Amino acid sequence: MIELKKQNIKAESEVAINVTYCGEDLGLGFRVDVLVEDILILELKSITAIETTHYKQLSNYLHLANKPLGYLINFNVDELVVGIGFEKVRNFQYKGDVPKWLY
């Protein structure tokens, strides 16, 4: 968060996602780890390995928050590179405009 602020990038941590059904808030208490520029979700982990459930969690957050893209980042790796500790997850149901910098 400090580095994003230094780079003048808008970011919020622990952003609540409201889940409603028939107009009623279900009070599920979902929280996005980091929301960048109100469009990119960062889901942060420090685990042995990224599991299918982690992809599903981020995918659900993207859908519920109506965001196009998220990064699943696992800091418990020797080298943080795409495919090892750093995974991109897309929301294929997103219908809004997506800035070019995002992809």
Side-chain angles (χ1 to χ4, degrees):
M1 292 302 297
I2 293 169
E3 190 59 37
L4 291 169
K5 184 177 179 180
K6 283 173 44 179
Q7 299 293 325
N8 291 318
I9 297 171
K10 179 185 169 201
E12 302 171 79
S13 63
E14 295 296 319
V15 178
I17 299 175
N18 296 322
V19 180
T20 59
Y21 178 73
C22 293
E24 203 167 317
D25 188 350
L26 298 180
L28 296 177
F30 292 149
R31 293 197 173 274
V32 168
D33 288 337
V34 179
L35 180 60
V36 178
E37 295 289 339
D38 199 35
I39 199 160
L40 172 68
I41 294 176
L42 304 180
E43 186 61 26
L44 310 176
K45 305 288 185 194
S46 182
I47 52 181
T48 304
I50 294 174
E51 305 277 338
T52 303
T53 55
H54 301 118
Y55 289 103
K56 289 180 182 179
Q57 175 189 18
L58 179 52
S59 182
N60 284 333
Y61 287 175
L62 290 168
H63 176 71
L64 292 170
N66 192 35
K67 306 301 178 198
L69 184 70
Y71 292 136
L72 184 54
I73 303 170
N74 181 15
F75 291 100
N76 190 22
V77 293
D78 293 331
E79 186 178 7
L80 191 61
V81 296
V82 174
I84 303 174
F86 189 91
E87 303 287 340
K88 189 185 294 189
V89 178
R90 291 183 60 187
N91 176 5
F92 291 102
Q93 298 174 346
Y94 182 78
K95 301 292 186 218
D97 293 330
V98 179
K100 291 188 186 284
W101 64 263
L102 192 56
Y103 292 104

